[in-house]
Amino acid sequence: MSQSPAGPSSRSADALAVERLFAVRGKVALVSGGSRGIGKMIATGLVRNGAKVYICSRTKTECDATAHELTALGPGACISIPADLQQLSEVERLVDEIKAREDALHILVNNAGATWVAEFDAFPDEAFSKILTLNVQRAFSLTQQCLPLLRAAAVQGGRSGDTFLDPARIVNIGSVEGEAIPPRHTYAYAASKAALHHLSRHFASRLGWEGITSNTIACGTFRSKMMAQILRTQGEEIRRSRPLQRIGEPEDIAGAVLFLCSRAGAFVNGATVALDGGGLVLGLIPHRESRL
């Protein structure tokens, strides 16, 4: 029987197999803030699927322990390079160390971030400087420093005419608080995430031409050190307020990153993916202690 002109060839059918469509094996990644929380979930997903993942955080013992733990899981590997990304000099040192070991960086995950909660009247000026520097400015700084490695990865991925077949990927870890007015007194954090989402789109418009995509995952509630206190006091209320009635699990964030960083996500550029169980559909529902 002859094949229908509209039907897939055997070659394209093979490319649709899940083990090829979502493959990241052999790719080199950097996950900032990768020693715990959402960053560790992402790093774990990449390592478990065969990527070589560099992680950084301020705390050497924590960073080293996570790298040891994830490498033992395999089949990929995890390498610790502790760095305090508040400091530009530390960003430069981090990237220099990776450049000394690698000739390309296929995946950059800008995940490092911080928050600050204080009533409007008491919100300190220094909090804005700290949060905006780490959550926005250093995401730009790290991406800027990694550009030569990302460009090299785009070239490694191959070209067909003007088309990059396997682009390098930037994934920016944002927040639903950057998409809707948050219920908590997180003025600097929410503003920083809104800025990061827009910066990611700016990256996409500028770097896509060079074979580098940039996308954002706007995370809802996940179990992390940043959210620990809220989950202890309001976990059930938060769960009940979401259409899917749960909080995020490691599979959710790891799966989203694997999609964006594999062949499956190669045509996605400039997107913001809400990963929140549908909370944004309803609007962010106020928690009891933050109602004015």
Side-chain angles (χ1 to χ4, degrees):
M1 181 182 295
S2 63
Q3 180 180 300
S4 165
S9 67
S10 60
R11 177 179 176 275
S12 62
D14 288 344
L16 297 179
V18 68
E19 61 270 16
R20 293 185 62 182
L21 196 58
F22 292 93
V24 294
R25 184 178 291 272
K27 291 193 173 187
V28 178
L30 168 60
V31 180
S32 67
S35 67
R36 66 187 184 196
I38 286 175
K40 184 177 180 180
M41 297 175 197
I42 293 168
T44 304
L46 291 169
V47 170
R48 288 294 292 141
N49 286 278
K52 183 179 184 181
V53 182
Y54 290 88
I55 60 171
C56 67
S57 74
R58 287 179 301 170
T59 308
K60 184 180 188 305
T61 53
E62 191 174 74
C63 201
D64 290 348
T66 295
H68 179 77
E69 175 189 345
L70 299 193
T71 296
L73 293 175
C78 188
I79 300 95
S80 166
I81 305 180
D84 180 2
L85 298 190
Q86 282 280 357
Q87 309 301 321
L88 179 59
S89 60
E90 286 285 274
V91 174
E92 294 169 341
R93 180 184 61 79
L94 167 67
V95 178
D96 283 345
E97 288 200 30
I98 296 174
K99 285 179 179 177
R101 306 181 191 195
E102 307 293 341
D103 57 9
L105 182 69
H106 305 93
I107 300 165
L108 169 62
V109 181
N110 285 312
N111 168 74
T115 190
W116 197 298
V117 181
E119 295 280 346
F120 195 102
D121 292 353
F123 205 91
D125 186 72
E126 62 269 20
F128 258 91
S129 298
K130 176 180 178 178
I131 301 307
L132 288 173
T133 295
L134 181 60
N135 294 6
V136 185
Q137 187 175 356
R138 291 298 169 250
F140 179 86
S141 303
L142 185 56
T143 303
Q144 183 185 53
Q145 292 296 315
C146 286
L147 269 180
L149 292 172
L150 292 167
R151 287 169 173 147
V155 172
Q156 279 188 6
R159 296 184 68 163
S160 176
D162 292 332
T163 302
F164 289 89
L165 300 177
D166 187 14
R169 319 298 168 89
I170 302 166
V171 180
N172 300 293
I173 304 304
S175 170
V176 291
E177 293 197 8
E179 294 290 303
I181 303 303
R184 300 181 296 139
H185 299 286
T186 51
Y187 305 103
Y189 178 79
S192 74
K193 291 303 182 180
L196 179 65
H197 298 184
H198 194 66
L199 182 63
S200 179
R201 292 188 288 268
H202 206 162
F203 286 166
S205 71
R206 169 63 181 82
L207 300 177
W209 307 95
E210 300 185 57
I212 304 168
T213 67
S214 176
N215 295 288
T216 299
I217 300 176
C219 293
T221 305
F222 281 76
R223 198 173 302 281
S224 65
K225 184 176 180 180
M226 186 182 292
M227 293 298 297
Q229 177 61 28
I230 290 174
L231 288 175
R232 277 194 296 270
T233 59
Q234 301 172 48
E236 281 306 309
E237 181 180 357
I238 292 171
R239 292 182 184 92
R240 289 195 305 269
S241 72
R242 304 299 187 258
L244 293 185
Q245 298 188 52
R246 68 174 176 88
I247 64 172
E249 299 288 347
E251 295 89 341
D252 300 315
I253 184 65
V257 171
L258 288 172
F259 162 66
L260 290 174
C261 296
S262 64
R263 175 61 186 87
F267 198 50
V268 183
N269 189 32
T272 300
V273 179
L275 196 65
D276 71 335
L280 279 177
V281 176
L282 302 179
L284 297 181
I285 298 172
H287 306 328
R288 55 184 175 270
E289 92 286 356
S290 61
R291 293 172 182 157
L292 300 178

